[in-house]
């Protein structure tokens, strides 16, 4: 058993600060339980682990309260609500199981803070499906990586280090020869796409709002259609033709996007251009999509919701059985229409993700460092998964789940325990 | 707590009991000897005229893991047709083709099932499979871990590693995945697909490795046997769904040097190429081969008409079949240099020649295989049909008039291609009890389940005898799980959680050095983080691991 009271060094720590869930970090703990990432760090993991350990106590209407009173008050608010909403949902698997249980009991809606982006992928799955791959396959097989509308590294800092410019690969490929193409976006950071021997990636910039046209054009070219325009979104058609040829000639191309970055109306159609193009490529060669996600536990929320309710996020138990509607049950829509009469906001991984400002009874289950702009009726600081308690998290590729470790003692309660207590009190 | 089940008509094939009126006593979750006369009976159920069997065991049902969750996510329209509201006892969910986990558990129990085994646990997705099964109430669970297209095995085989080292790796994987057995899916083919191969014959090398599907089958069937794992290698063969694949299936039976094997959803692998449409039934030859080869068992994977979803590790085949998706959407994945998956919704139609013949082929196999201890009742849920159609399937097996009636309404060309109407056999209650209880428990390696002898776990189902077997099996009077009454008149009356069966074959810990290095070099996670610990299964406070016995390691049997 680890002795959390003493200073120590923990190896092979899993980092839940982004969807890559790197599990090779070394984290040092001092006698005061402050943590410091000492190897395999990145800017996001440093922020996540190195925050000073804060003590924080529950509050009711801004006044410090004990946990039991805060739980009782939260249960009262939930019990009085006709249409409660559990949103945010920044937690790991066990916390999410508790969310689903209390949501079922209280006839609530569940939605995640990143659903505006993530739902775009869900809609593609529900409309046409897709052909995708996972990180270890990318690491060993990719020969052409096409990055659509993102730099990847802002949200997933170690992606190139771990999955593209890795030294070893299983099938005799010299990874330094891998080709990287950035398609879309302006002034993005393409430095991580430079190969270890200094080869520059190809960059085909366009404004994000032209991605629908650009992806449609590329898809058409892959299908062998002829384009009469000489440019699309500022990219020369000849460049897109070249890219289409490279995709057809690659042995294992990977086309990646981050749904949250595809900020255009009906972004799901743009993503569908990518995924249907990948399907077409597979008629003759191998190609895979790689949706990048998994921020703030969005994979955990969608996975657990799918097996417990049968549906991903944006599911309502209002009628006593689950119903799913990607538009109607969005946090924004429910708050704007006034349908929701109590908001339960969860963000245990990231203190910066604050609840939307509303004139409703609000309960916040927050990271202890959360600096609130608007004091909710009840604030319950909860332990941070992967630091203060164990847990399980799903990676960006939606297949691999990793155990999160406890790294120090914490007086804070786990979200799952708090929610179970609230459910009991209903 | 002492319970007496009085005067039921008992079918307990493990003890040769075929419809004998007797009393059964249950104490603290176990079946016990008749107590001394002075002992107080706490509860008595008068079962005069009722049919009593052990709880049923589904030895192949896709109830947990990534591909099932993809199917759920992909098919909201299917769920909308079958919403399940919460009650005082049960949580809400939804049913039909890919039900939510909670609904899955309730509905299995309400049909008299007390255990189900997920047959396609990918090592890299094992934790998710167990998480989902952990949220599946009442029934016991377990899984078979998938090997055979994982790069580590193919590398070891190419390097001509000693069988003992391979056995250590297989045993390590079983332990790390908390599995009851090993399954191979399209042996080597999932790997071949990643190198853009679309098809693989039994004796064709993998495009990268010097390994054929036959090599994989031989190596793994031997490994499972030498490790003393009770469940034989569970095989989903090459060329699923392809006309003419019966030859591959026959070759597979002959090609494993007599090591025990289980051929799963064999209906999908029993097709010939006769007739105008070059699609015909191979059921007679397949059944004959099963009858002859005592080392072979099979489950049928019966198809039934209607909407469902196919979910498989065999992405090579699923990609090939994706054009038939109904509705038109599908997901295929390459997974972690470990495996793959393909999820394709499908609607089987009774007026479609191929579908109608598939239906007939499945039933022909059921009826032509002589030994009910070696043939098992499955629809390969949800691939052939959702598990909730089992009572209908039982009626088809037990009632020839009903069967022929349905058959006579199918696509006429398919009727002309099937001998089904000429087969008189009707399954007896005793044979149904073998297929779904005693035989299934023996096959899976559950020593204390599937029978009603003293010491068995008190998983007991009580039915009202009804000539309409569909009605009878759809709604048991009572279901006891570990001695607790969980279902009455086909309705859940108590929610328990069941355990997870697993075997823990011995292996040389030295193998972890090699596996760990492989993970460090090529994988994106550490070896230790792949392992599903007992704690991962129990930490929700409900689940627990039930270790089933292995027969002990056998050395160098070839
Ligand atoms: S890349 Fe993501 S998972 Fe990896 S260390 Fe950085 S924040 Fe953590
Ligand atoms: Zn199956």
């Amino acid at each position: 058993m680890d002795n959390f009271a003493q200073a120590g060094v923990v190896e092979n720590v899993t980092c839940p600060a982004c969807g890559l869930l790197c599990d090779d970090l070394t984290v040092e703990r001092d006698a005061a339980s402050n943590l410091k990432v000492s190897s395999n760090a990145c800017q996001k993991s440093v922020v996540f682990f190195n925050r000073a350990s804060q003590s924080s106590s529950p509050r009711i209407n801004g006044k410090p309260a004990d946990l039991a009173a805060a739980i009782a008050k939260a249960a009262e608010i939930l019990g009085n609500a006709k249409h409660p909403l559990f949103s945010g949902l920044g937690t790991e698997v066990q916390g999410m199981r508790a969310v689903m249980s209390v949501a079922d009991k209280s006839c609530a809606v569940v939605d995640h803070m990143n659903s505006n982006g993530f739902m775009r992928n869900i809609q593609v799955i529900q409309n046409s499906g897709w052909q995708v791959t996972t990180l270890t396959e990318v690491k060993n097989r990719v020969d052409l990586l096409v990055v659509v509308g993102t730099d990847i590294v802002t949200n997933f800092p170690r992606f190139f280090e771990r999955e593209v410019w890795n030294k070893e690969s299983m099938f005799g490929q010299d990874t330094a020869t891998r080709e990287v193409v950035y398609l879309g976006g302006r002034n993005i950071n393409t430095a991580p796409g430079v190969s270890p021997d200094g080869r520059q990636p190809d960059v085909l910039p366009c404004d994000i709002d032209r991605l629908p046209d650009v992806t449609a054009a590329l898809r058409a070219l892959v299908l062998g259609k002829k384009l009469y325009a000489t440019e699309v979104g500022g990219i020369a058609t000849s460049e897109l033709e070249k890219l289409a040829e490279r995709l057809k000639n690659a042995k294992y191309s990977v086309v990646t996007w981050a749904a949250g970055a595809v900020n255009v109306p009906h972004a799901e159609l743009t993503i569908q251009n990518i995924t249907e193009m990948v399907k077409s490529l597979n008629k003759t060669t191998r190609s895979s999509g790689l949706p990048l996600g998994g921020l703030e536990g969005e994979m955990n929320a969608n996975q657990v919701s799918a097996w417990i309710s049968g549906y991903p996020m944006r599911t309502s138990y209002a009628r006593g059985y689950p119903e799913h509607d990607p538009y109607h049950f969005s946090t924004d829509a429910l708050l704007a229409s006034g349908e929701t009469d109590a908001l339960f906001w969860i963000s245990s991984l990231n203190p910066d993700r604050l609840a939307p400002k509303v004139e409703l009874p609000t309960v916040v289950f927050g990271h202890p460092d959360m600096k609130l702009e608007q004091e909710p009726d009840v604030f319950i600081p909860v332990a941070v998964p992967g630091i203060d308690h164990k847990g399980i998290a799903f990676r960006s590729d939606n297949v691999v789940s990793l155990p999160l470790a406890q790294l120090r003692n914490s007086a804070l309660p786990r979200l799952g325990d708090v929610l179970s207590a609230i459910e009991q009190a209903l | 707590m002492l319970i007496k089940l009085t005067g039921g008509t008992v079918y307990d094939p493990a003890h040769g009991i075929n419809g004998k009126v007797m009393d059964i006593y249950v104490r603290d979750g176990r079946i016990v000897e008749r107590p001394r006369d002075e002992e107080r009976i706490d509860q008595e159920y008068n079962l005069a005229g009722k049919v009593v069997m052990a709880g049923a065991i589904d030895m192949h049902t896709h109830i947990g893991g990534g591909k099932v969750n993809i199917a759920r996510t992909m098919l909201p329209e299917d769920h909308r047709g079958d919403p399940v509201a919460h009650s005082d006892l049960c949580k809400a969910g939804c049913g039909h083709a890919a039900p939510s986990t909670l609904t899955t558990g309730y509905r299995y129990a309400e049909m008299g099932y007390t255990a189900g085994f997920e047959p396609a646990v990918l090592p890299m997705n094992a934790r998710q499979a167990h998480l989902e099964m952990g949220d599946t109430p009442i029934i016991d669970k377990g899984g078979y871990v998938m090997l055979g297209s994982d790069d580590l095995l193919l590398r070891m085989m190419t390097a001509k590693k000693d069988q003992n080292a391979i056995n250590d790796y297989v045993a390590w994987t079983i332990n790390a995945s908390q599995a009851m057995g090993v399954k191979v899916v399209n042996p080597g083919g999932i790997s071949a697909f990643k190198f853009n191969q679309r098809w693989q014959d039994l004796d064709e090398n993998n495009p990268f490795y010097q390994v054929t599907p036959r090599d994989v089958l031989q190596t793994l069937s031997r490994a499972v046997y030498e490790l003393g794992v009770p469940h034989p290698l569970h095989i989903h063969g090459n060329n699923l769904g392809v006309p003419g694949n019966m030859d591959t299936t026959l070759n597979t039976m002959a090609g494993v040097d007599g090591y025990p094997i289980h051929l799963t959803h064999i209906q999908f692998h029993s097709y010939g190429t006769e007739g105008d449409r070059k699609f015909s039934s191979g059921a007679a030859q397949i059944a004959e081969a099963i009858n002859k080869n005592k080392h072979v068992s099979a489950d049928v994977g019966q198809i039934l008409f209607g909407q469902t979803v196919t979910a498989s590790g065999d992405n090579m085949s699923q990609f090939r079949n994706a054009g038939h998706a109904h509705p038109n959407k599908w997901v295929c994945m390459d997974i972690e240099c470990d495996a793959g998956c393909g999820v394709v919704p499908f609607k089987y139609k009774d007026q479609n020649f191929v579908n109608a013949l598939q239906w007939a082929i499945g039933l022909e196999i059921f009826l032509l295989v002589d030994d009910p201890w070696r043939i098992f009742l499955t629809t390969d849920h949800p691939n052939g049909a959702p598990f909730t159609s089992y009572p209908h399937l039982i009626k088809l097996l037990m009632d020839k008039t009903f069967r022929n009636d349905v058959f006579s309404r199918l696509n006429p060309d398919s009727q002309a291609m099937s001998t089904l109407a000429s087969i008189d056999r009707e399954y007896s209650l005793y044979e149904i009890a073998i297929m779904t209880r005693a035989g299934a428990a023996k096959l899976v390696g559950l020593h204390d389940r599937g029978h009603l002898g003293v010491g068995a776990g008190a998983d007991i189902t009580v039915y009202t005898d009804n000539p309409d077997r569909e009605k009878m099996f759809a709604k048991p009077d009572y279901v006891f799980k570990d001695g607790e009454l969980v279902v009455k008149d086909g309705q859940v009356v108590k929610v328990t959680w069941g355990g997870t069966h697993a075997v823990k074959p011995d292996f040389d810990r030295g193998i972890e050095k090699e596996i760990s290095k492989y993970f460090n070099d090529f994988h994106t996670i550490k070896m230790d983080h792949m392992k599903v610990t007992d704690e991962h299964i129990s930490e929700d406070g409900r689940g627990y691991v039930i270790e089933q016995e292995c027969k002990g390691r056998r050395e160098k049997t070839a």
Side-chain angles (χ1 to χ4, degrees):
Chain A
M1 214 43 226
D2 303 275
N3 185 350
F4 295 119
Q6 286 175 7
V9 179
V10 191
E11 288 180 343
N12 296 337
V13 171
T14 303
C15 168
C18 89
L20 297 185
L21 294 185
C22 304
D23 67 344
D24 58 352
L25 281 68
T26 304
V27 178
E28 292 172 15
R29 178 184 58 237
D30 69 17
S33 281
N34 294 305
L35 304 176
K36 193 166 141 270
V37 186
S38 58
S39 72
N40 295 325
C42 74
Q43 71 272 20
K44 281 184 86 165
S45 55
V46 166
V47 170
F48 179 78
F49 287 103
N50 293 21
R51 281 188 188 100
S53 114
Q54 299 269 338
S55 60
S56 173
S57 98
R59 298 191 293 272
I60 299 175
N61 297 322
K63 295 200 189 72
D66 68 18
L67 182 62
I71 285 171
K73 183 72 188 165
E76 182 194 317
I77 293 172
L78 184 57
N80 288 334
K82 286 208 173 61
H83 295 291
L85 166 64
F86 281 83
S87 189
L89 310 191
T91 180
E92 51 73 60
V93 166
Q94 306 296 9
M96 193 55 210
R97 280 170 146 171
V99 169
M100 294 306 290
S101 185
V102 71
D104 176 319
K105 181 88 180 256
S106 61
C107 300
V109 176
V110 289
D111 188 21
H112 189 271
M113 62 178 98
N114 293 344
S115 286
N116 285 342
F118 198 80
M119 270 299 133
R120 297 166 184 160
N121 286 344
I122 295 284
Q123 282 175 284
V124 172
I125 295 175
Q126 293 179 342
N127 190 264
S128 55
W130 61 21
Q131 192 157 3
V132 293
T133 191
T134 66
L135 296 180
T136 298
E137 297 286 2
V138 176
K139 174 175 175 178
N140 289 289
R141 293 181 190 274
V142 65
D143 56 355
L144 170 62
L145 177 73
V146 179
V147 184
V148 183
T150 172
D151 67 1
I152 301 183
V153 291
T154 303
N155 282 323
F156 309 93
R158 295 178 66 202
F159 179 83
F160 285 92
E161 169 204 328
R162 280 174 56 91
E163 336 293 359
V164 183
W165 307 129
N166 42 292
K167 287 202 188 68
E168 308 269 0
S169 82
M170 212 167 344
F171 309 109
Q173 188 193 29
D174 174 2
T175 57
T177 65
R178 289 174 169 173
E179 298 176 15
V180 178
V181 179
Y182 291 89
L183 178 66
R186 292 265 179 217
N187 304 319
I188 59 177
N189 174 14
T190 58
V194 177
S195 73
D197 51 12
R199 206 165 26 85
Q200 292 294 318
D202 297 308
V203 185
L204 305 176
C206 75
D207 293 335
I208 287 291
D209 62 9
R210 299 306 305 275
L211 271 183
D213 310 327
V214 169
T215 53
L218 184 62
R219 177 183 174 192
L221 291 168
V222 162
L223 284 169
K225 303 220 167 92
K226 188 101 190 77
L227 290 190
Y228 294 100
T230 54
E231 57 89 27
V232 183
I235 302 172
T237 303
S238 58
E239 291 293 334
L240 291 174
E241 282 168 350
K242 262 191 258 165
L243 180 55
E245 277 313 300
R246 288 167 78 182
L247 283 163
K248 286 198 250 184
N249 292 327
K251 289 204 163 64
Y252 200 96
S253 59
V254 172
V255 188
T256 187
W257 71 94
V262 188
N263 248 325
V264 296
H266 291 290
E268 70 278 8
L269 300 179
T270 296
I271 295 167
Q272 201 167 31
N273 281 334
I274 300 170
T275 56
E276 290 297 294
M277 176 187 77
V278 166
K279 281 184 179 176
S280 304
L281 286 164
N282 278 288
K283 291 197 174 116
T284 54
T285 185
R286 290 307 321 275
S287 176
S288 288
L290 183 74
L292 286 167
L295 302 168
E296 337 293 354
E298 67 195 6
M299 314 312 286
N300 310 332
N302 279 281
Q303 286 270 30
V304 176
S305 178
W307 79 65
I308 300 249
S309 75
Y311 301 106
M313 284 291 88
R314 300 195 171 166
T315 289
S316 167
Y317 284 98
R319 292 173 201 257
Y321 54 83
E323 293 177 290
H324 167 68
D325 188 320
Y327 300 104
H328 190 87
F329 298 134
S330 82
T331 299
D332 295 346
L334 290 171
L335 294 178
S337 69
E339 215 169 304
T340 290
D341 57 359
L343 172 64
F344 294 78
W345 180 262
I346 294 162
S347 182
S348 63
L349 290 159
N350 187 342
D352 300 328
R353 297 299 297 267
L354 304 179
K357 288 185 189 152
V358 287
E359 304 290 319
L360 291 176
T362 301
V363 179
V364 172
F365 307 88
H367 188 289
D369 283 5
M370 196 175 260
K371 308 263 180 317
L372 296 159
E373 290 169 0
Q374 187 188 21
E375 185 64 31
D377 298 69
V378 182
F379 175 72
I380 301 179
V382 291
V384 183
I387 289 183
D388 298 324
H389 71 89
K390 286 193 234 183
I392 296 170
F394 281 93
R395 211 165 70 173
S396 171
D397 54 31
N398 216 21
V399 170
V400 175
S401 65
L402 281 150
L404 306 178
Q406 181 178 1
L407 303 177
R408 66 181 176 205
N409 273 332
S410 169
L412 295 170
R414 296 188 309 175
L415 174 72
D417 294 336
V418 174
L419 291 179
S420 299
I422 291 172
E423 187 181 340
Q424 289 294 313
L426 280 179
Chain B
M1 174 78 134
L2 183 60
I3 302 171
K4 181 181 181 191
L5 307 179
T6 310
T9 305
V10 174
Y11 294 84
D12 183 18
H15 299 97
I17 295 169
N18 181 3
K20 187 173 153 199
V21 174
M22 40 191 292
D23 301 334
I24 293 171
Y25 298 90
V26 174
R27 195 198 305 268
D28 303 332
R30 296 259 153 200
I31 293 174
V32 292
E33 300 271 13
R34 182 200 157 94
R36 296 183 314 278
D37 286 344
E38 65 274 20
E39 275 191 83
R40 198 172 66 96
I41 306 286
D42 297 298
Q43 245 165 33
E44 183 173 358
Y45 294 84
N46 179 2
L47 303 184
K50 306 283 181 195
V51 171
V52 182
M53 297 183 183
I57 297 163
D58 194 345
M59 47 68 62
H60 186 116
T61 172
H62 297 276
I63 54 172
K67 63 193 174 326
V68 187
N69 229 22
I70 291 168
R72 293 185 186 109
T73 303
M74 189 162 71
L75 292 169
E77 63 275 31
D78 187 61
H79 295 323
R80 279 183 195 121
D82 192 6
V84 180
H86 56 209
S87 65
D88 290 346
L89 268 176
C90 297
K91 292 263 179 202
C94 57
H96 201 61
S100 60
T101 52
L102 295 151
T103 305
T104 298
Y106 304 143
R107 288 198 171 164
Y108 259 119
E110 287 175 348
M111 263 180 9
Y113 276 72
T114 50
F117 290 83
E118 163 59 54
V121 176
L122 319 189
M124 299 309 295
N125 186 245
R127 191 174 292 106
Q128 178 175 3
H130 285 293
L131 283 166
E132 292 187 26
M133 290 194 278
D135 278 328
T136 305
I138 304 180
I139 61 170
D140 285 346
K141 287 75 64 164
Y144 318 131
V145 66
M146 250 170 79
L147 286 170
S149 277
D150 55 307
D151 285 285
L152 183 48
L153 177 74
L154 298 173
R155 288 163 68 91
M156 290 176 87
M157 288 178 66
T158 301
K160 303 266 179 277
K161 285 278 166 78
D162 183 68
Q163 177 83 31
N164 257 330
I166 288 175
N167 294 355
D168 286 330
Y169 167 55
V170 172
W172 178 88
T173 308
I174 293 172
N175 277 273
S177 313
Q178 298 277 7
M180 261 316 281
V182 177
K183 184 193 197 193
V184 59
V185 173
N186 189 350
I190 302 168
S191 159
F193 183 54
K194 295 171 186 173
F195 295 100
N196 202 28
Q197 187 149 329
R198 305 306 168 110
W199 177 270
Q200 213 183 7
D201 274 329
L202 207 50
D203 294 305
E204 191 178 354
N205 264 334
N206 179 286
F208 184 79
Y209 299 105
Q210 299 306 303
V211 175
T212 67
R214 187 191 298 272
D215 298 335
V216 173
L217 291 171
Q218 286 174 339
T219 302
L220 285 178
S221 60
R222 182 177 162 191
V224 169
Y225 178 76
E226 291 189 349
L227 290 170
V229 171
H231 184 51
L233 180 64
H234 195 103
I235 300 174
H236 158 147
N238 302 68
N239 302 334
L240 174 134
V242 177
N245 62 12
M246 57 181 278
D247 294 331
T248 308
T249 308
L250 295 171
N251 277 330
T252 301
M253 290 189 214
V256 290
D257 304 330
Y259 288 110
I261 55 171
H262 177 85
L263 298 172
T264 190
H265 42 68
I266 198 162
Q267 177 276 128
F268 288 107
H269 303 267
S270 301
Y271 304 148
T273 53
E274 283 163 28
D276 294 345
R277 313 217 199 181
K278 304 277 174 255
F279 182 75
S280 59
S281 170
Q285 294 91 321
I286 294 289
E288 192 193 329
I290 295 175
N291 290 340
K292 249 195 240 142
N293 287 288
K294 307 292 181 209
H295 67 288
V296 175
S297 59
D299 65 271
V300 171
Q302 179 66 33
I303 71 124
L304 295 164
F305 303 114
Q307 176 70 51
T308 192
V309 57
T310 65
S312 170
D314 187 352
N315 56 357
M316 181 192 259
S317 297
Q318 290 292 70
F319 181 79
R320 202 166 49 222
N321 297 330
H324 299 295
H326 179 103
N328 183 15
K329 52 183 170 182
W330 51 270
V331 168
C332 274
M333 289 187 79
D334 297 332
I335 296 178
E336 289 299 277
C337 297
D338 186 42
C341 86
V343 182
V344 183
F346 199 83
K347 189 170 186 178
Y348 295 101
K349 302 190 184 98
D350 61 0
Q351 296 311 313
N352 171 293
F353 168 75
V354 171
N355 299 166
L357 195 52
Q358 288 178 304
W359 181 91
I361 292 168
L363 292 176
E364 287 172 13
I365 295 170
F366 270 118
L367 297 167
L368 294 175
V369 171
D370 299 332
D371 181 1
W373 291 90
R374 290 192 292 120
I375 189 85
F376 297 92
L377 187 141
T378 67
T379 56
D380 190 17
H381 163 80
N383 292 312
F387 68 83
T388 38
S389 49
Y390 285 169
H392 175 78
L393 176 54
I394 291 172
K395 183 171 177 178
L396 288 168
L397 297 176
M398 294 190 73
D399 185 337
K400 180 181 174 235
T401 314
F402 174 69
R403 180 166 74 227
N404 286 344
D405 225 42
V406 178
F407 184 59
S408 69
R409 293 195 297 270
L410 304 186
N411 171 291
D413 293 350
S414 73
Q415 291 184 47
M417 295 289 288
S418 168
T419 59
L420 188 63
S422 68
I423 306 175
D424 287 331
R425 181 169 173 195
E426 291 181 331
Y427 268 80
S428 66
L429 283 175
Y430 189 68
E431 288 174 319
I432 293 291
I434 294 172
M435 256 209 277
T436 58
R437 276 82 173 168
K442 185 168 166 233
L443 178 79
V444 176
L446 309 173
H447 301 280
D448 60 346
R449 306 283 147 171
H451 68 90
L452 298 171
V454 167
D459 297 353
I460 304 169
T461 302
V462 178
Y463 304 98
T464 297
D465 201 349
N466 183 334
D468 184 335
R469 299 307 189 188
E470 184 168 348
K471 287 209 174 98
M472 171 174 168
F473 281 96
K475 209 175 159 197
D477 298 68
Y478 303 109
V479 180
F480 297 88
K481 179 77 189 76
D482 293 306
E484 290 191 84
L485 183 68
V486 290
V487 169
K488 190 164 181 275
D489 298 327
Q491 294 274 308
V492 170
V493 293
K494 172 157 196 188
V495 177
T496 60
W497 286 91
T500 297
H501 296 279
V503 289
K504 309 216 161 169
D506 294 333
F507 63 95
D508 177 352
R509 298 271 151 190
I511 194 75
E512 287 210 325
K513 241 169 115 185
E514 180 175 349
I515 300 171
S516 176
K517 176 168 171 15
Y518 168 80
F519 268 78
N520 285 340
D521 287 350
F522 303 124
H523 266 270
T524 46
I525 69 171
K526 299 284 175 188
M527 177 188 78
D528 281 336
H529 291 161
M530 179 258 149
K531 296 177 183 170
V532 181
T533 61
D534 285 9
E535 196 195 352
H536 289 145
I537 288 174
S538 65
E539 69 195 349
D540 62 4
R542 306 185 304 222
Y544 51 96
V545 175
I546 307 163
E547 187 180 338
Q548 292 286 350
E549 195 186 359
C550 270
K551 291 177 181 136
R553 198 148 163 165
R554 307 172 171 109
E555 292 299 322
K556 306 260 181 201
T557 57

